[in-house]
Amino acid sequence: MASVRTCTTLSSKISNNLAWKKSIRVYRKHGVRHMSAASASGTFKASDLQIDFCPPENLKMKPAVKDLVFGRSFTDHMLKILYTDQSGWGQPRITPLQDLRLHPAAKVLHYSVELFEGMKAFRGVDDEIRLFRPNKNMERMNRTAARCSLPTFDGDELIALLKKMISVDQEWVPHTESSSLYIRPTLIGIEPTLGVQRPVEALLFVILSPVGPYFSSGFKPVSLLADPQYVRAWPGGMGMMKSGSNYGPTLEIQRYAEAKGLHQVLWLFGPEHRITEVGAMNIFIFLDKGNGEKELVTPPLDGLILPGVTRDSLLTLAREWGEFQVSERDITMTELVQASHDKKLLEMFGAGTAAVVTPVGSIHYQDQVINIPTMDHDQPLNQRFYNTITGIQYGRIASPWAMSIQ
Amino acid sequence: MASVRTCTTLSSKISNNLAWKKSIRVYRKHGVRHMSAASASGTFKASDLQIDFCPPENLKMKPAVKDLVFGRSFTDHMLKILYTDQSGWGQPRITPLQDLRLHPAAKVLHYSVELFEGMKAFRGVDDEIRLFRPNKNMERMNRTAARCSLPTFDGDELIALLKKMISVDQEWVPHTESSSLYIRPTLIGIEPTLGVQRPVEALLFVILSPVGPYFSSGFKPVSLLADPQYVRAWPGGMGMMKSGSNYGPTLEIQRYAEAKGLHQVLWLFGPEHRITEVGAMNIFIFLDKGNGEKELVTPPLDGLILPGVTRDSLLTLAREWGEFQVSERDITMTELVQASHDKKLLEMFGAGTAAVVTPVGSIHYQDQVINIPTMDHDQPLNQRFYNTITGIQYGRIASPWAMSIQ
């Protein structure tokens, strides 16, 4: 198996030098302006992209794949696009990765005027680099922006910019199927005023991070804390948006779960303890219906649930397969406990971009521990999903969901 | 009435120079080290404060009081205290106001790991500068920090630091009772990693902003949009915390209200449309009970309500006065509509640090407009509250709630 090159200072400098020259060649070939004079009227267009390459002597060493921890190391470049009410979107710029300079009154630091997306680029078995359904992320990012009083943008242009950006940092896309390049588009309100009002200035930026498996435990089933006293989202709120405000309030509950020796939080809602999400993933439950029928259940998009790209992909695959019932419906802890008691609870797993599919092994709920035989079957459904999704992502399975960056 | 001096470049430079020299004298007198060698083990202590004064030539012009818009201009200095899990709280530093340099992966920019407080310093009729119940803000800030997985701190030390900081920028405290110096302590998670986990690095900073009345309309009653489809907070959430995540989601609803020509949002909760808060203020309702009795109602601290310092102060004053019933209880739109219909709805007003007391003139609720005669009485209760609170703040009324910065 190939790997991101291990780092000695010398070999890294040489390889980074090569990568840098290759990047410039790629860019010249694709006709992108290198350090062009700033165009006076940038408009979020990939064709207006200005690239300020990281000097070769500043290129960073790439960590070994085995040392990758989710979201801890970043590539050499970033993308920035400024917005003001007065001028609209500015010219996209790729620059060396650098600190942002923000006025201490910037709204993002006080009122959580911020949102993000999570995407990945995969180096396929054919060495081609692919994105996975990036248009879904662009749609969600724009929906979230509109709800957060942040400016919307042309998603196709941002996809084109992401492709160019990944080309520049292409040597950072790991040479192994266990890893990928995580893409973090972020949109923040930066107007430096303290009124609780929509910002008139915003910054869209993208950073890239080579990542291994999200959970260092690998594909081992995780344990969940299901405590109905903590609520992630509610009707009339914005739990369906990928905004920062949905994440900050969860950190302490996650810490509380970890203090109990558990991996993640299963978020419940309402007096009937409806199951909504797990950690920062959507949740799937595979049930034996008793009459030879099986049912895959995930909670419906009722405003409490993040409309995950992986969620949508699993539902679409399951419906194409047509082998079992596929339901977007409410499911409560009472039903889950009963199904477990009746040995009808076959599998439970989280679905999300960071971890793809994460099997659940147990739920700690009130005074009970519900053990779930998620991985104890021949050919578990979650593994089949995982293999199919990653097969598409790494170019082993042809699919319109995979988009080459070329 | 004295005013913040109007600005011509020359007079401002001179006065700023004087202010700077005065600040240094104040600091020498109070024994604070000026640009001391960094103490190796800072511990959030005011006695460890290091001050890096803004050079006289960089001091800014002070805007005229009439031009003050809430939270738009800032003083010459800021306070910063860094925290890391490894070293704990570092040495407090006052520096010239400057941009923060944040890694683009800083958790505050992605997961709303952020909280703040709102306080004010007032220049009294005796020229003494006072804070108003700052210990209440410190208690709330620490409660919020604990809930947000951010580090807690010694509130008394931060008060001592605020006093020193305000002394440095004392010429920015307006010389008029219509204005004050708004104080914005802020605490953000700055660890540059993308895992959804508590940050191991944080930054507490404070900025100061001379402010006029919060609403440019002055003491005119505001109109409210009460639309039950938008929900600010939920049981099991953290509506009682002063975290950024409670504000971002409200901006678009505030914009929606403004598009309807209304000033603020009245946040309702539950099928019975319970009244919870207004904009970013607590809400008070003054009712005629019909038998010569009157009742002041504010919603209880049930987890949905921010425990406002002004809220607590009005309740305490009202109970001291003992002239009418004071209730922390649920109140629904049904009760409000009925009271209005029966001519029992005397006054309604918001209470908060930024605006002190804000009279409400009308509520737009479903298909109704409820007009409230808040300002149509002789000596309205809200004006009496306003006069009492500001009397304490500006040194006209002696009270243990006022704390001199000397």
Side-chain angles (χ1 to χ4, degrees):
Chain A
M1 188 193 297
S3 79
V4 172
R5 74 180 54 75
T6 50
C7 302
T8 65
T9 307
L10 186 63
S11 72
S12 172
K13 287 258 173 180
I14 293 169
S15 66
N16 279 337
N17 245 310
L18 290 173
W20 182 73
K21 286 178 184 158
K22 187 171 169 190
S23 296
I24 291 181
R25 277 203 308 278
V26 167
Y27 271 83
R28 295 214 169 123
K29 190 176 99 185
H30 289 274
V32 179
R33 281 176 284 170
H34 174 223
M35 289 296 287
S36 64
S39 82
S41 60
T43 55
F44 208 92
K45 290 213 177 309
S47 58
D48 284 338
L49 176 64
Q50 175 181 326
I51 303 181
D52 175 7
F53 283 103
C54 185
E57 62 274 19
N58 291 350
L59 292 172
K60 287 178 291 190
M61 292 187 292
K62 297 175 182 69
V65 161
K66 69 173 174 49
D67 296 333
L68 290 177
V69 178
F70 181 83
R72 282 196 179 264
S73 55
F74 298 91
T75 68
D76 294 308
H77 296 89
M78 68 186 300
L79 172 70
K80 283 187 271 194
I81 316 173
L82 194 67
Y83 169 91
T84 67
D85 264 11
Q86 202 162 16
S87 309
W89 283 108
Q91 185 182 20
R93 290 190 63 198
I94 288 175
T95 69
L97 183 76
Q98 56 197 203
D99 285 350
L100 300 177
R101 295 179 63 118
L102 294 175
H103 190 286
K107 285 194 196 293
V108 63
L109 304 176
H110 300 264
Y111 305 131
S112 300
V113 188
E114 60 191 65
L115 60 92
F116 64 95
E117 274 298 328
M119 310 164 69
K120 281 178 173 173
F122 308 88
R123 187 180 295 276
V125 290
D126 53 0
D127 209 37
E128 196 161 315
I129 297 172
R130 294 176 177 83
L131 302 171
F132 184 75
R133 307 186 75 187
N135 51 312
K136 299 288 286 181
N137 298 90
M138 296 300 104
E139 289 163 14
R140 185 172 62 188
M141 193 167 175
N142 268 311
R143 276 200 310 276
T144 305
R147 177 62 183 79
C148 291
S149 291
L150 282 163
T152 56
F153 56 88
D154 184 327
D156 288 338
E157 292 294 332
L158 185 52
I159 291 174
L161 288 163
L162 293 178
K163 289 179 176 179
K164 293 182 177 193
M165 187 186 179
I166 294 160
S167 286
V168 169
D169 276 338
Q170 61 184 271
E171 283 309 308
W172 284 89
V173 185
H175 290 76
T176 164
E177 268 199 60
S178 73
S179 301
S180 56
L181 187 69
Y182 185 79
I183 305 166
R184 173 54 64 93
T186 313
L187 179 51
I188 60 177
I190 59 172
E191 180 193 336
T193 66
L194 296 180
V196 182
Q197 278 156 339
R198 66 172 283 275
V200 301
E201 294 167 20
L203 177 70
L204 191 152
F205 67 90
V206 184
I207 52 178
L208 305 173
S209 170
V211 295
Y214 186 80
F215 295 109
S216 53
S217 57
F219 217 78
K220 278 197 294 196
V222 295
S223 55
L224 307 183
L225 172 68
D227 187 333
Q229 76 178 295
Y230 304 112
V231 176
R232 192 194 81 95
W234 53 84
M238 43 185 259
M240 68 298 221
M241 298 295 169
K242 206 158 178 77
S243 61
S245 57
N246 284 333
Y247 294 81
T250 71
L251 301 190
E252 192 61 17
I253 321 304
Q254 171 66 21
R255 177 152 84 157
Y256 176 63
E258 286 170 13
K260 285 177 168 284
L262 305 172
H263 292 102
Q264 292 271 303
V265 176
L266 181 65
W267 299 99
L268 307 180
F269 183 77
E272 67 278 26
H273 298 174
R274 269 159 55 195
I275 292 169
T276 64
E277 294 198 13
V278 54
M281 294 181 287
N282 294 120
I283 188 81
F284 283 80
I285 297 157
F286 196 38
L287 296 170
D288 183 347
K289 300 283 281 181
N291 48 1
E293 298 265 304
K294 290 175 181 170
E295 182 188 19
L296 180 67
V297 180
T298 196
L301 300 180
D302 58 2
L304 303 190
I305 309 287
L306 191 81
V309 178
T310 308
R311 176 188 182 278
D312 182 84
S313 304
L314 300 197
L315 287 172
T316 303
L317 285 175
R319 285 174 179 140
E320 279 176 12
W321 295 340
E323 299 168 20
F324 45 80
Q325 191 179 340
V326 180
S327 304
E328 292 175 76
R329 68 166 173 89
D330 287 338
I331 182 164
T332 66
M333 282 305 297
T334 306
E335 180 178 349
L336 198 81
V337 169
Q338 187 64 47
S340 172
H341 182 265
D342 297 344
K343 314 269 187 234
K344 306 289 192 198
L345 178 53
L346 301 174
E347 298 181 36
M348 187 160 169
F349 45 96
T353 294
V356 192
V357 168
T358 301
V360 174
S362 66
I363 302 176
H364 295 241
Y365 171 63
Q366 294 172 337
D367 295 332
Q368 314 167 54
V369 177
I370 306 158
N371 288 304
I372 308 170
T374 301
M375 297 303 285
D376 302 346
H377 315 278
D378 267 0
Q379 302 180 305
L381 177 62
N382 69 85
Q383 274 281 273
R384 185 176 170 195
F385 277 134
Y386 181 87
N387 293 339
T388 309
I389 297 286
T390 55
I392 293 168
Q393 291 171 336
Y394 289 94
R396 283 184 277 101
I397 300 170
S399 163
W401 286 351
M403 182 189 283
S404 167
I405 68 159
Q406 297 306 319
Chain B
M1 186 192 296
S3 78
V4 171
R5 72 180 55 74
T6 50
C7 302
T8 64
T9 308
L10 186 63
S11 73
S12 172
K13 285 256 173 181
I14 292 168
S15 66
N16 279 335
N17 245 310
L18 290 173
W20 182 74
K21 284 178 185 159
K22 186 171 171 189
S23 297
I24 290 182
R25 277 203 309 276
V26 167
Y27 271 84
R28 294 212 169 124
K29 188 176 102 185
H30 289 272
V32 178
R33 282 176 282 170
H34 173 222
M35 288 296 287
S36 65
S39 82
S41 60
T43 54
F44 209 92
K45 291 213 178 307
S47 58
D48 284 338
L49 177 64
Q50 175 180 326
I51 304 180
D52 176 8
F53 283 102
C54 185
E57 63 274 20
N58 290 351
L59 293 172
K60 286 177 292 190
M61 292 187 292
K62 297 175 183 69
V65 161
K66 69 174 174 47
D67 296 333
L68 290 176
V69 178
F70 181 83
R72 282 196 180 263
S73 56
F74 299 92
T75 68
D76 294 309
H77 295 88
M78 67 186 299
L79 172 70
K80 284 188 271 194
I81 316 174
L82 193 67
Y83 168 91
T84 68
D85 264 11
Q86 203 161 16
S87 309
W89 284 107
Q91 185 182 22
R93 290 190 64 198
I94 287 175
T95 69
L97 183 76
Q98 57 198 200
D99 284 350
L100 299 177
R101 295 179 64 119
L102 294 175
H103 190 286
K107 285 196 198 293
V108 62
L109 304 176
H110 301 264
Y111 304 132
S112 301
V113 189
E114 62 191 65
L115 60 91
F116 64 95
E117 273 298 328
M119 310 164 68
K120 282 178 173 173
F122 308 87
R123 186 181 296 276
V125 290
D126 53 359
D127 209 35
E128 195 160 316
I129 297 172
R130 294 176 177 85
L131 301 171
F132 183 75
R133 307 186 76 187
N135 53 312
K136 299 288 284 180
N137 297 91
M138 295 301 103
E139 289 163 14
R140 185 171 63 187
M141 192 167 174
N142 268 311
R143 276 201 309 277
T144 305
R147 177 61 183 81
C148 291
S149 290
L150 282 163
T152 57
F153 55 89
D154 184 326
D156 288 338
E157 293 292 333
L158 186 53
I159 291 174
L161 288 163
L162 293 178
K163 288 179 176 180
K164 293 183 175 191
M165 187 187 178
I166 295 160
S167 287
V168 170
D169 276 338
Q170 61 185 269
E171 284 308 309
W172 285 90
V173 184
H175 290 75
T176 164
E177 269 199 58
S178 72
S179 301
S180 57
L181 186 68
Y182 185 80
I183 306 166
R184 172 53 63 92
T186 312
L187 178 52
I188 60 177
I190 60 172
E191 179 193 337
T193 66
L194 296 179
V196 182
Q197 278 156 339
R198 66 173 283 274
V200 301
E201 294 167 20
L203 177 70
L204 190 151
F205 67 90
V206 184
I207 51 178
L208 305 173
S209 170
V211 295
Y214 186 80
F215 296 108
S216 53
S217 58
F219 217 78
K220 279 197 294 194
V222 295
S223 55
L224 307 182
L225 172 68
D227 187 333
Q229 75 178 297
Y230 304 112
V231 178
R232 192 193 82 94
W234 193 269
M238 41 186 257
M240 68 297 219
M241 298 294 169
K242 207 158 176 77
S243 61
S245 58
N246 283 333
Y247 294 82
T250 71
L251 302 190
E252 191 61 18
I253 320 306
Q254 170 64 22
R255 177 151 84 158
Y256 176 63
E258 287 170 12
K260 285 175 168 285
L262 305 172
H263 292 102
Q264 291 271 304
V265 176
L266 181 65
W267 298 99
L268 306 179
F269 181 78
E272 67 278 26
H273 298 174
R274 269 160 54 195
I275 292 170
T276 64
E277 295 199 12
V278 55
M281 295 181 287
N282 294 119
I283 187 82
F284 283 81
I285 297 157
F286 196 39
L287 297 171
D288 182 347
K289 302 283 282 181
N291 47 1
E293 298 266 304
K294 289 175 183 171
E295 182 188 19
L296 179 68
V297 180
T298 196
L301 300 181
D302 58 1
L304 303 189
I305 308 286
L306 191 80
V309 178
T310 309
R311 176 188 181 278
D312 183 84
S313 304
L314 300 197
L315 287 173
T316 303
L317 285 176
R319 285 174 179 140
E320 280 175 11
W321 295 339
E323 299 168 20
F324 45 81
Q325 190 179 340
V326 180
S327 306
E328 293 176 77
R329 68 165 174 89
D330 287 337
I331 182 165
T332 65
M333 283 305 298
T334 306
E335 180 178 349
L336 198 81
V337 169
Q338 186 64 47
S340 172
H341 183 264
D342 297 344
K343 313 269 187 233
K344 307 287 192 198
L345 177 54
L346 301 174
E347 297 181 37
M348 185 159 170
F349 46 95
T353 294
V356 192
V357 168
T358 301
V360 173
S362 66
I363 302 175
H364 295 241
Y365 171 63
Q366 295 174 337
D367 295 333
Q368 312 168 55
V369 177
I370 306 158
N371 288 302
I372 307 170
T374 301
M375 297 302 286
D376 301 348
H377 315 278
D378 267 0
Q379 301 180 307
L381 177 63
N382 69 84
Q383 274 281 273
R384 184 175 170 195
F385 277 133
Y386 182 88
N387 291 339
T388 308
I389 296 286
T390 55
I392 293 168
Q393 293 169 336
Y394 290 94
R396 282 184 277 102
I397 301 172
S399 164
W401 286 350
M403 182 188 283
S404 167
I405 68 161
Q406 297 305 319

